[in-house]
Amino acid sequence: MRPPVAPPGWSRWLVPPAALSVHLSIGQAYAWSVFKPPLESALDLSGTQSALPFQLGIVMLGLSAAFGGTLVERNGPRWAMSVALVCFSSGFLIAALGAATSQYWLIVFGYGFVGGIGLGIGYISPVSTLIKWFPDRPGMATGIAIMGFGGGALIASPWSAQMLETFGDDSSGIALAFLVHGLSYAVFMTLGVLLVRVPDVSAGSGAVSSGSAARPAPAGPQVSARQAIRTPQFWCLWVVLCMNVTAGIGILEKAAPMITDFFADTSTPVSASAAAGFVALLSAANMAGRIGWSSASDLVGRKNVYRLYLGAGALMYFLIARFGDDSKPLFIVCALVILSFYGGGFATIPAYLKDLFGTYQVGAIHGRLLTAWSLAGVLGPLIVNWVADRQEEAGKHGPGLYGLSLSIMIGLLVIGFVANELVRPVHARHHISAPKELSDANTADAADAANTADAANTADSAAGK
């Protein structure tokens, strides 16, 4: 599928809404915790079992982003968004069938495996295109999309809670909520598929001037993706991302039941609707962190801002573990800060990679690094849910369900902090001074654009005759 080229006069400001329509949809994954209590009650599941669809979805997100990046670049954003639409919506429809028939494995397969592929392809689908449209402001453009993914639960969390209240929280009600999600997101993501265009580099569409068909090789040290994974810097950043994501995703996936458990035995218990609102607040913090902290990294440096993510994040977890049930505002503020660091970590890591490895193949390096997200998607929920289940079996309740898991998160963040301190500039032996592949790729891009323009001119001439 050849990506659609923008006609003359096409506004590049139509592309960010196209990206948002996809990222706001797939960002629903961050609202999964709203479905956990109803699923556990309706299908007699443990907390660990009810986390499986979310965990598998994050695993497939990382794997499909890492291994599907080449296909996305080759086939273009419309193809990628279409694949994301089909997979993500189909995942909900399969999950609806699983809930209706009480076949939990169908929910895991549909939402986790099929929907997870849609998450990964959808996550990376607009990024390269946005950079091409906004060479003057690439950070802002990609930040819009990444912010949308972080903010998807702002819409999905209260919407899901309202549907469960209306349809019921039994198997049939959950199935109907999944069905509505699948159909609604299909319609919303279709807007992105129809709107997205790539700039015409041969004719100049406002994104790239007509004289820039062949781009110069990037300045400064450059490292290929193959070489990058052989460097200690790559693996240090892999550990940094994995630890930061594990800490954030653990609390995010369990957010609604966690805040309910913490204050169940107090004079101010948290209702289901208030817990859903808390999930939405976490999503807002996640979204704000992607813009705010990544922008701050331009001023203070990537290593320094990751020191903040990991060091202050450990402190926030300590405060929740020690004083969380004494003060609801303290619990909420600490959780919001943790989730802002979680979102900021995602938005800052591409710039960190660019600083270390250059712009040559940074997208491919980023895709490979996202496998850390796959592992973290399993580790975070597994730690929190497995520990909570074991503590419940031991007769504990309320905050006692989470003390051990919070201590584990502190330890993981300390490991990430040490890994960040070990990051040094990449040794010159890994640099490529004049990447021939990049020049060849630029020449191929220019030739492809010229062929597209020649074909259009030939068609116009034939039509004139």
Side-chain angles (χ1 to χ4, degrees):
M1 180 187 295
R2 182 176 292 276
V5 178
W10 181 267
S11 173
R12 64 178 181 170
W13 291 101
L14 292 173
V15 181
L20 274 174
S21 72
V22 173
H23 272 239
L24 282 172
S25 298
I26 62 177
Q28 182 280 334
Y30 286 141
W32 176 254
S33 64
V34 175
F35 287 103
K36 282 174 61 65
L39 281 170
E40 291 167 14
S41 175
L43 301 180
D44 193 24
L45 304 173
S46 67
T48 303
Q49 289 173 321
S50 67
L52 280 177
F54 177 81
Q55 289 175 294
L56 182 57
I58 298 301
V59 169
M60 295 309 301
L61 186 159
L63 294 178
S64 57
F67 296 107
T70 302
L71 289 175
V72 171
E73 289 295 325
R74 181 184 304 160
N75 296 320
R78 175 168 287 182
W79 175 88
M81 290 180 177
S82 298
V83 171
L85 184 159
V86 171
C87 291
F88 189 65
S89 297
S90 297
F92 266 112
L93 299 183
I94 296 171
L97 178 62
T101 58
S102 297
Q103 297 294 316
Y104 186 59
W105 71 270
L106 276 176
I107 299 177
V108 176
F109 173 76
Y111 188 92
F113 184 81
V114 179
I117 295 173
L119 286 176
I121 299 299
Y123 187 82
I124 62 177
S125 64
V127 174
S128 176
T129 301
L130 283 166
I131 291 175
K132 293 175 183 175
W133 275 109
F134 293 87
D136 52 332
R137 284 177 281 183
M140 177 213 68
T142 55
I144 290 174
I146 295 175
M147 178 185 68
F149 186 84
L154 276 175
I155 300 170
S157 182
W159 183 37
S160 300
Q162 182 60 49
M163 279 195 288
L164 290 172
E165 184 176 333
T166 303
F167 302 147
D169 56 3
D170 57 357
S171 295
S172 60
I174 296 170
L176 191 53
F178 282 157
L179 177 64
V180 172
H181 272 302
L183 296 178
S184 299
Y185 284 132
V187 172
F188 194 55
M189 294 172 74
T190 298
L191 297 176
V193 173
L194 297 177
L195 273 179
V196 72
R197 299 286 189 279
V198 296
D200 185 351
V201 296
S202 64
S205 59
V208 183
S209 66
S210 59
S212 62
R215 298 180 296 276
Q222 305 295 324
V223 181
S224 69
R226 179 176 296 181
Q227 279 296 114
I229 62 174
R230 300 174 181 175
T231 66
Q233 288 83 355
F234 175 89
W235 293 107
C236 282
L237 288 188
W238 194 96
V239 172
V240 165
L241 182 64
C242 186
M243 298 300 100
N244 190 60
V245 173
T246 299
I249 211 168
I251 195 172
L252 183 61
E253 187 273 339
K254 189 78 169 177
M258 181 181 287
I259 192 171
T260 302
D261 290 337
F262 255 81
F263 299 98
D265 298 329
T266 68
S267 59
T268 56
V270 177
S271 65
S273 59
F278 174 63
V279 175
L281 278 178
L282 293 180
S283 180
N286 180 5
M287 181 172 60
R290 291 169 188 250
I291 295 294
W293 294 123
S294 60
S295 299
S297 74
D298 292 331
L299 302 175
V300 303
R302 320 301 174 196
K303 177 175 282 192
N304 285 333
V305 83
Y306 268 98
R307 285 169 173 155
L308 177 67
Y309 298 158
L310 300 161
L315 176 62
M316 295 299 106
Y317 264 115
F318 172 79
L319 291 176
I320 290 177
R322 181 67 180 85
F323 307 107
D325 59 331
D326 294 335
S327 171
K328 192 177 295 183
L330 176 67
F331 180 95
I332 294 173
V333 169
C334 289
L336 292 177
V337 172
I338 290 171
L339 263 294
S340 76
F341 292 159
Y342 170 81
F346 277 120
T348 309
I349 202 68
Y352 209 162
L353 291 171
K354 180 186 72 67
D355 293 347
L356 290 170
F357 302 109
T359 56
Y360 177 60
Q361 293 193 339
V362 68
I365 298 170
H366 185 213
R368 286 161 172 77
L369 196 76
L370 288 180
T371 54
W373 193 358
S374 294
L375 179 60
V378 174
L379 278 181
L382 180 63
I383 291 170
V384 176
N385 286 287
W386 186 85
V387 170
D389 289 344
R390 300 291 81 76
Q391 300 287 44
E392 186 174 13
E393 291 173 0
K396 295 185 179 181
H397 59 88
L401 298 174
Y402 303 100
L404 177 58
S405 59
L406 294 176
S407 298
I408 293 173
M409 294 300 180
I410 294 172
L412 293 178
L413 287 171
V414 171
I415 293 173
F417 190 94
V418 173
N420 183 54
E421 292 302 307
L422 295 176
V423 173
R424 298 289 186 271
V426 177
H427 195 278
R429 69 174 178 272
H430 298 292
H431 297 171
I432 43 179
S433 57
K436 180 178 182 297
E437 297 92 338
L438 183 60
S439 300
D440 292 343
N442 288 336
T443 302
D445 287 346
D448 186 60
N451 291 336
T452 301
D454 290 342
N457 292 333
T458 300
D460 292 341
S461 299
K465 292 179 181 179

